[in-house]
Amino acid sequence: MKTLSLTATRLVLSLAAAGIVGGASVGLVTGTHASAAANANAPVATQQAPMLAGAALPDFSQIAQRHGAAVVNISVIGKAGADEQQQASNQLPGIDPNDPFFEFFKRFQGPGAQGGREAPSRGQGSGFIISADGLVLTNAHVVRNAQRVTVKLTDRREFVAKVLGSDPKTDVAVLRIDAKDLPVVPLGNTKDLKVGEWVLAIGAPFGFENSVTAGVVSAKGRSLPDDSFVPFIQTDVAVNPGNSGGPLFNARGEVVGINSQIYSHTGGYQGLSFAIPMETALKVKDQIVATGKASHARLGVSVQEVNQTLAESFKLDKAAGALVSSVEPGGPADKAGLKVGDVIREVNGQPIVGSGDLPAFIGQSLPGDKVQLDVWRQGKAVNLNAQLGDASAKAEAVAANKNATDQGRLGLALRPLAPQEQRAVGVDGGLLVQDAQGPAALAGVQQGDVLLAVNGEKVQSVEQVRALLGRAKQSLALLIQRDGDQIFVPVQLG
């Protein structure tokens, strides 16, 4: 029942003297990986020494020489809001705010990071040319809130770019510049990409144009805890501000991804970088070129991981799948017959191993698409068919169906536990915490906790909690179960 809470944060740092344009400067440097074919052809000296030093390394210099000219530097000018300006004023690339020199260097950050709401701000990123007539791919966050976008080529030519469209859900944006006979990168896919292969990134970290970095593929199909529709490529390539939107090459010199983000506790690179697979980016590109926007499907469920305890409770042969924790009333899943407590194991024959695989798969489909769901329900396999809805309606649906307990004084979104969930956690009744904000979050209540009692009174429904909240004055005592332990959490009401 416990939802993993990751403390890593997305790195969004200013690269320009005047501030940040909506995160336009989130820079990523991703690495390089070697082709498996290189390993296959590498000579073997002896059985005791099957690999010679450097034998598996591709020729990075050839890739950089052939395709570096198609990688561009992107400069953005826009207007940042007060929150973004405050963030820019409190962050300097590579410098801890507690460092004695932080305030000294902050003086040189420029007025854009300290002024009023309408102060101009600047950011930088990377991109790459995919068509000789000027089509450029980059990250959506690079050009967010941009008023002027300039694309600079390696031959020093500069062009004012038009943003054809951007898709925040996948972090892909498409630009066009007025030029012909441009160098282009060859495009590949991640189908044959293997964990452990070398990959190569070219971009402009901290504005240093056409910098080359290398690393290996750490994982494929990585789902991140931000409602992303992207099955990310994880690498160990050093990433820094300014590489966002740049290409990730395989050892054959094909672009297999767009460098997008990192996880970091410190604001600097810590070995975790993520790239958008080229297949995902091209689907979004095609929609943007045709219509100016991208559409994504939704199923209308909230899901959570299946751990070993839940798998045993549901009589599953392994801890895999997406456990349905809530179903949007009247949504596609509801109409298809999905129920709370169902475990979605496959979609159109594709296995769902972790809960994050489901939104990544569904999000790459189109509204109106029909999918077949392999569901495990009460010890039996059930096949259901669903017609997907439009993800753009998700925010409205969530707002309309949120429980009243998260509106104001307490800050909790709750739902009753399914019978299987009650057995799994060993409780009779109780409510699952789907979201914790405001006073409850400040007190330490977390998503995935089970609320057992309020002020000593056992609770089994949202209405009961609402009634107890209505009688409360300044505080409440919540009895919470977490990881098999029960604790009282005092909450000062808002």
Side-chain angles (χ1 to χ4, degrees), residues 30 128 188 190 233 245-249 254-259 275-278 281:
T30 47
F128 53 98
T190 61
I233 306 167
L248 182 71
F249 292 92
E254 301 166 333
V255 176
V256 293
I258 304 177
N259 301 322
I276 303 160
M278 208 59 219

Side-chain angles (χ1 to χ4, degrees), residues 323-349:
L323 174 60
V324 177
S325 58
S326 68
V327 178
E328 176 192 321
D334 189 21
K335 293 177 181 178
L338 271 172
K339 299 179 180 179
V340 172
D342 287 347
V343 178
I344 301 174
R345 300 189 298 177
E346 291 185 359
V347 179
N348 287 348

Side-chain angles (χ1 to χ4, degrees), residues 92-415:
L92 291 174
I95 302 179
D96 191 317
N98 296 319
D99 192 296
F101 289 100
F102 179 83
E103 290 298 329
F104 173 79
F105 285 110
K106 182 178 174 182
R107 299 175 188 175
F108 298 96
Q109 196 176 17
Q114 304 177 26
R117 181 174 296 273
E118 296 299 323
S121 57
R122 301 172 185 271
Q124 293 188 39
S126 302
F128 53 98
I129 305 170
I130 61 171
S131 69
D133 60 352
L135 213 58
V136 177
L137 285 185
T138 186
N139 284 146
H141 73 255
V142 169
V143 296
R144 185 171 57 211
N145 299 332
Q147 294 183 317
R148 182 183 176 91
V149 179
T150 302
V151 171
K152 183 178 180 180
L153 308 186
T154 56
D155 61 10
R156 321 313 292 172
R157 285 185 294 167
E158 296 186 7
F159 300 89
V160 175
K162 178 181 180 181
V163 180
L164 298 184
S166 62
D167 179 38
K169 295 185 182 300
T170 57
D171 200 19
V172 174
V174 184
L175 314 180
R176 183 176 288 281
I177 59 176
D178 186 11
K180 297 181 179 179
D181 301 322
L182 295 170
V184 299
V185 296
L187 302 179
N189 60 67
T190 61
K191 180 180 179 181
D192 300 322
L193 193 64
K194 295 181 175 62
V195 173
E197 287 190 33
W198 288 93
V199 283
L200 180 78
I202 304 178
F206 298 105
F208 293 107
E209 300 170 13
N210 269 76
S211 294
V212 178
T213 56
V216 298
V217 176
S218 303
K220 290 173 57 179
R222 185 69 80 195
S223 299
L224 302 183
D226 58 358
D227 294 327
S228 175
F229 291 158
V230 177
F232 285 98
I233 306 167
Q234 179 185 331
T235 79
D236 71 345
V237 184
V239 300
N240 291 288
N243 272 92
S244 282
L248 182 71
F249 292 92
N250 62 20
R252 295 181 296 278
E254 301 166 333
V255 176
V256 293
I258 304 177
N259 301 322
S260 176
Q261 59 182 282
I262 70 171
Y263 270 129
S264 174
H265 292 282
T266 65
Y269 167 70
Q270 290 188 299
L272 292 170
S273 55
F274 299 90
I276 303 160
M278 208 59 219
E279 303 94 305
T280 301
L282 290 178
K283 286 181 181 179
V284 173
K285 183 269 296 182
D286 291 341
Q287 291 189 63
I288 288 177
V289 170
T291 66
K293 63 179 182 178
S295 298
H296 301 279
R298 69 183 176 91
L299 185 57
V301 295
S302 296
V303 294
Q304 65 186 71
E305 289 291 330
V306 177
N307 59 26
Q308 187 61 42
T309 302
L310 288 171
E312 293 172 357
S313 174
F314 293 142
K315 299 180 180 179
L316 286 164
D317 57 352
K318 58 182 178 180
L323 174 60
V324 177
S325 58
S326 68
V327 178
E328 176 192 321
D334 189 21
K335 293 177 181 178
L338 271 172
K339 299 179 180 179
V340 172
D342 287 347
V343 178
I344 301 174
R345 300 189 298 177
E346 291 185 359
V347 179
N348 287 348
Q350 178 171 318
I352 303 298
V353 179
S355 62
D357 295 342
L358 183 67
F361 183 92
I362 296 296
Q364 294 183 70
S365 303
L366 296 175
D369 285 354
K370 295 181 179 180
V371 295
Q372 186 177 60
L373 307 175
D374 178 0
V375 174
W376 187 259
R377 176 183 295 168
Q378 296 181 348
K380 297 180 180 179
V382 178
N383 290 318
L384 300 174
N385 295 300
Q387 184 170 7
L388 302 177
D390 193 337
S392 62
K394 178 180 178 181
E396 298 177 5
V398 170
N401 289 287
K402 239 181 182 180
N403 292 317
T405 49
D406 72 344
Q407 300 175 2
R409 301 184 70 198
L410 186 55
L412 289 181
L414 304 166
R415 71 161 176 81

